[in-house]
């Protein structure tokens, strides 16, 4: 979640967090508006996971280069500037764009890899599909949210909807997802988050699978205990 010139932009991470715990999104929003608590620093588990994720991503990048594919890496700066550079790289027909950026409507963010396929688009006889790297052994429903979002944003640029998206998994296999199988679910989730941000309902901390790595874990602890006591 970021505020660009007074407008709130949402990312795939925001969407995944919201679908795991709406209270986390409420706290993100309050923090962005300067009315909420401060989040804690990443704990050791989160930092280790991030490090392993970065290494997994770097390994896929190295494999693409070793295979002789031309790669343009978008150096991170402002999201708008990066989105323009991404558009130019895609139009030029490079094999792979690493860290490609999107910004459209209320949504934006940086994808892992955009890989060229020989399927016509507004660019010419080629277009792109989204590949993400994840440490899991199989795709999680949250990954689908990210892949559909970036594929939709990519569609706006290239004028052709990608048919597939991919996850390079932690065990070295590659999962292929047919986007039309998941688009309705992912777009419903996007609409729900947009509605939530426009008019946030009351939320409370309820224990869930995301709590262990959540940056609001310390803040929620007291409230969560209260909820648990109430349930027990
Ligand atoms: S710590 Fe748990 S309950 Fe609190 S915001 Fe994070 S995921 Fe939600």
């Amino acid at each position: 979640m970021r505020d660009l010139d007074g407008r709130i932009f949402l990312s795939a991470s925001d969407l995944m967090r919201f679908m795991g715990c709406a209270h986390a999104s409420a706290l993100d929003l309050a923090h962005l508006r300067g009315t909420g608590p401060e989040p804690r620093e990443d704990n050791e588990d989160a930092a280790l996971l991030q490090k392993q994720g970065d290494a997994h991503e770097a390994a896929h990048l190295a494999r693409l280069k070793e295979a002789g594919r031309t790669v343009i890496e978008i150096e991170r700066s402002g999201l708008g500037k990066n989105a323009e550079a991404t558009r130019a790289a895609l139009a030029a027909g490079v094999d792979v764009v690493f860290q490609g950026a999107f910004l459209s409507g209320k949504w934006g963010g940086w994808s892992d890899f955009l890989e060229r396929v020989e399927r016509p688009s507004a660019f010419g006889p080629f277009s792109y599909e989204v590949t993400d790297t994840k440490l899991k052994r199989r795709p999680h429903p949250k990954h689908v949210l990210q892949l559909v979002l970036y594929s939709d944003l990519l569609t706006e640029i290239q004028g052709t909807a990608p048919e597939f998206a991919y996850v390079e998994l932690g065990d070295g296999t590659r999962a292929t997802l047919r986007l039309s199988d998941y688009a309705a679910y992912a777009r419903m989730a996007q609409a729900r988050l947009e509605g939530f941000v426009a008019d946030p309902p009351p939320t409370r901390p309820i224990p869930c699978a995301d709590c262990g790595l959540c940056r609001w874990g310390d803040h929620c602890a007291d409230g969560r205990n209260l909820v648990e006591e109430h349930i027990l």
Side-chain angles (χ1 to χ4, degrees):
M1 224 176 260
R2 61 187 64 220
D3 188 323
L4 297 179
D5 301 327
R7 288 177 60 202
I8 291 177
F9 284 86
L10 303 166
S11 69
S13 301
D14 297 323
L15 186 58
M16 292 190 286
R17 190 174 305 122
F18 173 68
M19 292 304 281
C21 174
H23 191 58
S25 302
L27 291 168
D28 287 346
L29 195 55
H31 184 251
L32 190 67
R33 289 176 169 154
T35 58
E38 283 298 314
R40 72 179 178 197
E41 296 290 317
D42 276 356
N43 61 24
E44 278 183 21
D45 288 348
L48 181 63
L49 211 57
Q50 180 66 48
K51 200 171 161 190
Q52 290 172 338
D54 290 347
H56 181 45
E57 184 183 79
H60 183 58
L61 178 62
R63 280 195 298 276
L64 290 168
K65 288 180 177 174
E66 281 164 15
R69 306 197 70 184
T70 54
V71 179
I72 286 185
E73 178 172 353
I74 307 297
E75 286 287 331
R76 279 219 188 189
S77 55
L79 187 56
K81 198 173 154 193
N82 281 179
E84 282 175 26
T86 299
R87 184 187 291 266
L90 295 174
V94 65
D95 288 335
V96 178
V97 177
F98 177 50
Q99 291 285 301
F102 299 107
L103 183 61
S104 177
K106 294 182 172 66
W107 295 91
W110 287 267
S111 61
D112 286 351
F113 298 91
L114 303 172
E115 298 183 6
R116 172 171 165 153
V117 290
E118 302 313 306
R119 190 160 175 260
S121 70
F123 296 139
F126 61 89
S127 57
Y128 290 85
E129 293 176 335
V130 178
T131 298
D132 219 336
T133 52
K134 299 290 182 195
L135 289 170
K136 301 258 183 199
R137 289 172 176 233
R138 62 186 60 178
H140 188 279
K142 284 184 182 178
H143 302 159
V144 166
L145 298 171
Q146 183 169 13
L147 291 167
V148 171
L149 174 62
Y150 288 147
S151 296
D152 281 351
L153 294 170
L154 177 61
T155 300
E156 288 184 29
I157 297 174
Q158 64 185 14
T160 297
E163 196 174 357
F164 299 103
Y166 309 89
V167 187
E168 291 288 332
L169 294 161
D171 63 359
T173 60
R174 181 174 170 96
T176 300
L177 289 90
R178 184 181 293 279
L179 289 161
S180 57
D181 291 344
Y182 305 101
Y185 159 68
R187 290 172 193 155
M188 175 275 296
Q190 290 169 29
R192 277 185 55 196
L193 177 54
E194 288 183 12
F196 184 93
V197 169
D199 186 15
T203 57
R204 60 177 185 165
I206 296 173
C208 68
D210 292 349
C211 289
L213 296 175
C214 180
R215 66 183 190 147
W216 300 111
D218 292 348
H219 172 76
C220 285
D222 289 344
R224 193 166 57 229
N225 290 339
L226 286 175
V227 171
E228 283 170 344
E229 281 167 19
H230 181 69
I231 291 169
L232 294 170

